[in-house]
């Protein structure tokens, strides 16, 4: 019996010792230590949200596609008068200003497989010879199809087929922060690609201040980017990540003439319209509403008691403009063109540049704090919807006036049988010769003038001086010698 109790007590004591040893030797880790270990993994889980895509796109496809479609443009000039009259020259053109045999260099973009190429007007303006070097080193002589100084665009053509070309993208859909590539030939470094983002849209930098021989005011609604652009990039491509042409590189803002952080490109939607007009008519068919407009500043809003800061203020109306005829009034605020919002003058110009005279648009405006929609038909700068060819526009621009046939009442009162009257007189050869508005042209070098077509034919290919005979509405006869 004693032996049994000894065995029981020994077992009980051994169990107690075993339990005590397990408690002290095999004690689990404190909860605090487990939390510390867990915290070490938290930053790795929270640094990147798996639902957010990689913000750096792969631009290799866009680069490969655009490199084959961007060409090197070389130009040859014979004199020095040209560069003295071109303020874009020093800023963005890669050649010496007073070289006796100057050569220029720039870029261009192939836009069709049959050899049409778009570039900047300031790249080819005044050039006697234009040569194009393709990405594969082929060289072609290019024909200048047409130029538009008001947008700084020019269209070239080479005799080639099956060329790689870039398709247009929709520049209206661009977003600030979107990645883009600038492709060109800076400093004669062929086929150079730089990357950046869209920094702003609709920029007016007051660089297109040269006199437009076609008589149109400058259209500036540049895409601003931080892609590096330098002399020689002029006329090259700005492309999006899909390899679509969304702009033509045109200018930089710089105190040195080299890149300092921002560059500017002409939107593709403007480019497409200008190119189409140059192909069809040889000149750009620019459409006008017929208003004098201003951006809305805080001072203007306070003075005119405007409730909105968005839109463009109508300061005045053209006498023969479509706006006056449609019922737009001075003091109205234009907010939309065909449902596209316009908040400043460059945005309005950009939207109107997509249309031709004769096109119908819907203008949304605010009057007396109410929104009104007004349909109207756009007109050309002469106040009608006619298509203006290059020859017709050139004569009007050189003379600095528009013309209209005289009425039967005028013929009877003045005792004449025909004539065309000078209207809308502006700076040009007529004003320089002393002609005043209202003058009726009867003869040019003895040839009777009864219509604008007669006037155009009489001056076509004229060199040197011509004698213009006519009469004023008060009956006073006058004669003017005009150099052509």
């Amino acid at each position: 019996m004693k032996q049994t109790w000894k065995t029981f007590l020994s077992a009980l004591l051994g169990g107690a010792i075993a339990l005590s040893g397990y408690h002290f030797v095999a004690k689990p880790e404190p909860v605090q230590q487990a939390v510390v270990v867990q915290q070490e993994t938290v930053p790795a889980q929270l640094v990147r949200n798996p639902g957010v895509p990689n913000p750096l796109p792969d631009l290799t496809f866009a680069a490969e596609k655009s490199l084959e479609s961007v060409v090197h443009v070389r130009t040859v000039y014979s004199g020095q008068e040209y560069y003295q009259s071109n303020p874009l020259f020093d800023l963005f053109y890669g050649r010496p200003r007073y070289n006796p045999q100057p050569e220029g260099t720039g870029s261009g973009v192939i836009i069709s497989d049959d050899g049409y190429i778009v570039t900047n007007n300031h790249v080819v303006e005044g050039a006697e010879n234009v040569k194009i070097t393709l990405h594969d080193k082929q060289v072609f002589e290019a024909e200048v199809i047409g130029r538009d100084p008001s947008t700084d665009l020019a269209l070239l053509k080479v005799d080639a087929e099956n060329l790689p070309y870039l398709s247009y993208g929709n520049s209206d859909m661009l977003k600030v922060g979107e990645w883009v590539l600038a492709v060109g030939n800076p400093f004669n470094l062929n086929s150079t690609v730089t990357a950046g983002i869209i920094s702003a849209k609709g920029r007016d930098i007051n660089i297109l201040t040269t006199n437009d021989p076609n008589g149109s005011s400058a259209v500036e609604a540049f895409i601003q980017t931080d892609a590096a652009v330098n002399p020689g990039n002029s006329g090259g491509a700005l492309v999006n990540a899909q390899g679509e042409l969304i702009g033509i590189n045109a200018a930089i803002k710089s105190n040195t003439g080299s890149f300092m952080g921002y560059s500017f490109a002409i939107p593709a939607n403007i480019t497409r319209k200008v190119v189409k007009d140059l192909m069809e008519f040889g000149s750009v068919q620019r459409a006008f509403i017929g208003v004098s407009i201003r951006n809305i500043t805080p001072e203007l809003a306070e003075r005119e008691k405007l409730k909105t800061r968005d839109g463009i203020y109508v300061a005045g109306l053209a006498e023969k403009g479509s706006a006056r005829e449609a019922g737009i009034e001075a003091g109205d605020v234009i907010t939309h063109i065909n449902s596209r919002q316009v908040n400043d003058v460059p945005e309005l110009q950009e939207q109107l540049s997509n249309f031709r005279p004769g096109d119908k648009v819907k203008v949304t405006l605010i009057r007396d704090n109410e929104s009104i929609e007004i349909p109207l038909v756009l007109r050309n700068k002469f106040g009608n919807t006619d298509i203006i060819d290059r020859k017709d526009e050139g004569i009007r621009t050189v003379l600095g006036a528009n013309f209209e046939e005289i009425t039967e009442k005028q013929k009877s009162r003045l005792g004449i049988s025909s004539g065309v009257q000078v209207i809308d007189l502006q700076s040009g050869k007529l004003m320089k010769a002393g002609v005043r508005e209202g003058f009726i042209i009867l003869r040019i070098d003895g040839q009777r003038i009864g219509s604008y077509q007669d006037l155009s034919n009489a001056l076509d290919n004229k060199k040197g001086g011509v004698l213009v005979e006519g009469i004023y509405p008060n009956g006073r006869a006058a004669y003017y010698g005009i150099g052509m």
Side-chain angles (χ1 to χ4, degrees), residues 198-234:
I198 302 293
S199 303
K201 297 171 58 180
R203 283 292 197 220
D204 183 350
I205 58 175
N206 295 315
I207 196 171
L208 300 181
T209 55
T210 54
N211 292 327
D212 180 359
N214 293 328
S216 296
S217 58
V219 177
E220 292 196 20
F222 290 116
I223 302 167
Q224 179 182 321
T225 80
D226 65 355
V229 167
N230 279 292
N233 272 113
S234 211

Coordinates of all heavy atoms in Angstrom, one line a residue, residues 198-234:
I198 N 1.5 66.9 -72.3 CA 0.8 68.1 -72.6 C 0.8 69.0 -71.4 O 0.2 68.6 -70.4 CB -0.6 67.8 -73.1 CG1 -0.6 66.8 -74.3 CG2 -1.4 69.1 -73.4 CD1 -0.1 67.4 -75.5
S199 N 1.3 70.2 -71.5 CA 1.4 71.1 -70.4 C 0.2 72.1 -70.4 O -0.2 72.5 -69.3 CB 2.7 72.0 -70.5 OG 3.8 71.1 -70.5
A200 N -0.3 72.4 -71.5 CA -1.5 73.3 -71.6 C -2.1 73.2 -73.0 O -1.4 72.8 -74.0 CB -1.1 74.7 -71.3
K201 N -3.3 73.7 -73.2 CA -3.9 73.8 -74.5 C -4.4 75.2 -74.8 O -4.6 76.0 -73.9 CB -5.1 72.8 -74.6 CG -4.7 71.3 -74.4 CD -5.9 70.5 -74.3 CE -6.8 70.6 -75.5 NZ -8.0 69.7 -75.3
G202 N -4.5 75.5 -76.1 CA -5.1 76.8 -76.5 C -4.2 78.0 -76.1 O -4.7 79.0 -75.8
R203 N -2.9 77.8 -76.2 CA -1.9 78.9 -75.9 C -1.8 79.9 -77.0 O -1.7 79.6 -78.2 CB -0.5 78.3 -75.6 CG -0.4 77.6 -74.3 CD -0.5 78.7 -73.1 NE 0.0 78.1 -71.9 CZ -0.5 78.3 -70.7 NH1 -1.6 79.1 -70.6 NH2 0.0 77.8 -69.6
D204 N -1.9 81.2 -76.7 CA -1.6 82.3 -77.6 C -0.4 83.0 -77.1 O -0.3 83.6 -76.0 CB -2.8 83.3 -77.5 CG -2.6 84.4 -78.5 OD1 -1.5 84.6 -79.1 OD2 -3.6 85.2 -78.7
I205 N 0.7 82.8 -77.9 CA 2.0 83.3 -77.4 C 2.5 84.5 -78.3 O 3.6 85.0 -78.2 CB 3.1 82.2 -77.5 CG1 3.3 81.6 -78.9 CG2 2.8 81.2 -76.4 CD1 4.4 80.6 -79.0
N206 N 1.6 85.0 -79.1 CA 1.8 86.3 -79.9 C 3.1 86.2 -80.7 O 4.0 87.1 -80.8 CB 1.9 87.5 -79.0 CG 0.6 87.8 -78.3 OD1 -0.5 87.7 -79.0 ND2 0.6 88.0 -77.0
I207 N 3.3 85.0 -81.4 CA 4.5 84.8 -82.2 C 4.2 85.0 -83.7 O 5.1 85.4 -84.5 CB 5.2 83.5 -81.9 CG1 6.6 83.5 -82.5 CG2 4.3 82.3 -82.5 CD1 7.4 82.2 -82.1
L208 N 3.0 84.8 -84.1 CA 2.6 84.9 -85.5 C 2.2 86.3 -85.8 O 1.0 86.6 -86.0 CB 1.5 83.9 -85.9 CG 1.9 82.4 -85.7 CD1 0.7 81.5 -86.1 CD2 3.1 82.0 -86.4
T209 N 3.2 87.2 -85.8 CA 2.8 88.6 -86.0 C 3.3 89.1 -87.4 O 3.1 90.3 -87.6 CB 3.6 89.4 -84.9 OG1 5.0 89.2 -85.0 CG2 3.0 89.1 -83.6
T210 N 3.7 88.3 -88.3 CA 4.1 88.7 -89.6 C 2.9 89.1 -90.4 O 1.8 88.6 -90.1 CB 4.9 87.6 -90.3 OG1 4.2 86.4 -90.3 CG2 6.3 87.4 -89.7
N211 N 3.0 89.9 -91.4 CA 1.9 90.3 -92.3 C 1.6 89.1 -93.1 O 2.4 88.6 -93.8 CB 2.3 91.5 -93.1 CG 2.4 92.8 -92.3 OD1 1.7 92.9 -91.3 ND2 3.3 93.6 -92.8
D212 N 0.3 88.7 -93.1 CA -0.2 87.6 -93.9 C -0.5 88.1 -95.3 O -1.4 88.9 -95.5 CB -1.4 87.0 -93.2 CG -2.0 85.8 -94.0 OD1 -1.4 85.5 -95.1 OD2 -3.0 85.3 -93.5
P213 N 0.2 87.6 -96.3 CA -0.1 88.0 -97.7 C -1.6 87.7 -98.1 O -2.1 88.3 -99.0 CB 0.9 87.3 -98.6 CG 1.3 86.1 -97.7 CD 1.3 86.6 -96.3
N214 N -2.2 86.8 -97.4 CA -3.6 86.5 -97.7 C -4.6 87.4 -96.9 O -5.8 87.2 -97.0 CB -3.9 85.0 -97.4 CG -3.1 84.1 -98.4 OD1 -2.9 84.5 -99.5 ND2 -2.7 83.0 -97.9
G215 N -4.0 88.2 -96.1 CA -4.9 89.2 -95.4 C -5.6 88.7 -94.1 O -6.4 89.4 -93.6
S216 N -5.3 87.5 -93.7 CA -6.0 86.9 -92.5 C -5.2 87.1 -91.3 O -3.9 87.1 -91.3 CB -6.2 85.4 -92.7 OG -7.1 85.2 -93.8
S217 N -5.9 87.3 -90.2 CA -5.2 87.5 -88.9 C -4.6 86.1 -88.4 O -5.1 85.1 -88.8 CB -6.1 88.1 -87.8 OG -7.3 87.2 -87.7
A218 N -3.7 86.2 -87.5 CA -3.0 85.0 -87.1 C -4.0 84.1 -86.2 O -4.8 84.7 -85.5 CB -1.8 85.3 -86.3
V219 N -3.9 82.8 -86.3 CA -4.7 81.9 -85.5 C -3.7 81.2 -84.6 O -2.9 80.4 -85.0 CB -5.4 80.9 -86.4 CG1 -6.2 79.9 -85.5 CG2 -6.4 81.6 -87.3
E220 N -3.7 81.5 -83.3 CA -2.8 80.9 -82.3 C -3.7 80.2 -81.3 O -4.4 80.8 -80.5 CB -1.9 81.9 -81.7 CG -0.9 82.5 -82.6 CD 0.2 83.2 -81.9 OE1 0.4 83.0 -80.7 OE2 0.9 84.1 -82.5
A221 N -3.6 78.8 -81.3 CA -4.2 78.0 -80.2 C -3.3 76.8 -80.0 O -3.7 75.7 -80.1 CB -5.6 77.6 -80.7
F222 N -2.0 77.1 -79.7 CA -1.0 76.1 -79.6 C -1.2 75.1 -78.5 O -1.7 75.4 -77.4 CB 0.4 76.8 -79.4 CG 0.9 77.6 -80.5 CD1 1.1 78.9 -80.4 CD2 1.2 76.9 -81.7 CE1 1.6 79.7 -81.5 CE2 1.7 77.7 -82.8 CZ 1.9 79.0 -82.7
I223 N -0.7 73.9 -78.8 CA -0.6 72.8 -77.8 C 0.8 73.1 -77.1 O 1.8 73.1 -77.8 CB -0.6 71.4 -78.4 CG1 -1.9 71.2 -79.1 CG2 -0.4 70.4 -77.3 CD1 -1.9 69.9 -80.0
Q224 N 0.8 73.3 -75.8 CA 2.1 73.5 -75.1 C 2.5 72.2 -74.5 O 1.7 71.5 -73.8 CB 1.9 74.5 -74.0 CG 3.1 74.8 -73.2 CD 2.9 75.8 -72.1 OE1 2.2 76.8 -72.2 NE2 3.5 75.5 -70.9
T225 N 3.8 71.8 -74.7 CA 4.3 70.6 -74.1 C 5.7 70.9 -73.5 O 6.3 71.9 -73.7 CB 4.5 69.5 -75.2 OG1 5.8 69.7 -75.9 CG2 3.4 69.5 -76.2
D226 N 6.2 69.9 -72.7 CA 7.6 70.0 -72.2 C 8.5 69.0 -72.9 O 9.6 68.7 -72.4 CB 7.6 69.8 -70.7 CG 7.2 68.5 -70.2 OD1 6.8 67.6 -71.1 OD2 7.3 68.2 -69.0
A227 N 8.1 68.5 -74.1 CA 9.0 67.7 -74.9 C 10.0 68.6 -75.5 O 9.7 69.7 -76.0 CB 8.2 67.0 -76.0
A228 N 11.3 68.2 -75.4 CA 12.4 69.0 -75.8 C 12.3 69.3 -77.4 O 12.3 68.3 -78.1 CB 13.7 68.4 -75.5
V229 N 12.3 70.5 -77.8 CA 12.3 70.9 -79.2 C 13.3 72.0 -79.4 O 13.4 72.9 -78.6 CB 10.9 71.4 -79.5 CG1 10.9 72.2 -80.9 CG2 9.9 70.3 -79.6
N230 N 14.1 71.9 -80.5 CA 15.2 72.8 -80.7 C 15.2 73.2 -82.2 O 14.4 72.7 -83.0 CB 16.5 72.2 -80.4 CG 16.8 72.3 -78.9 OD1 17.0 73.4 -78.3 ND2 16.7 71.1 -78.2
P231 N 16.0 74.2 -82.6 CA 16.1 74.6 -84.0 C 16.3 73.3 -84.9 O 17.2 72.5 -84.7 CB 17.3 75.5 -84.1 CG 17.3 76.1 -82.7 CD 16.9 75.0 -81.8
G232 N 15.5 73.2 -85.9 CA 15.5 72.0 -86.8 C 14.3 71.1 -86.6 O 13.9 70.3 -87.4
N233 N 13.7 71.2 -85.4 CA 12.4 70.5 -85.1 C 11.2 71.1 -85.8 O 10.2 70.5 -85.9 CB 12.2 70.4 -83.6 CG 12.8 69.3 -82.9 OD1 13.7 69.5 -82.1 ND2 12.4 68.1 -83.2
S234 N 11.4 72.3 -86.2 CA 10.3 73.1 -86.8 C 9.6 72.3 -87.9 O 10.3 71.9 -88.9 CB 10.8 74.4 -87.3 OG 9.9 75.4 -87.3

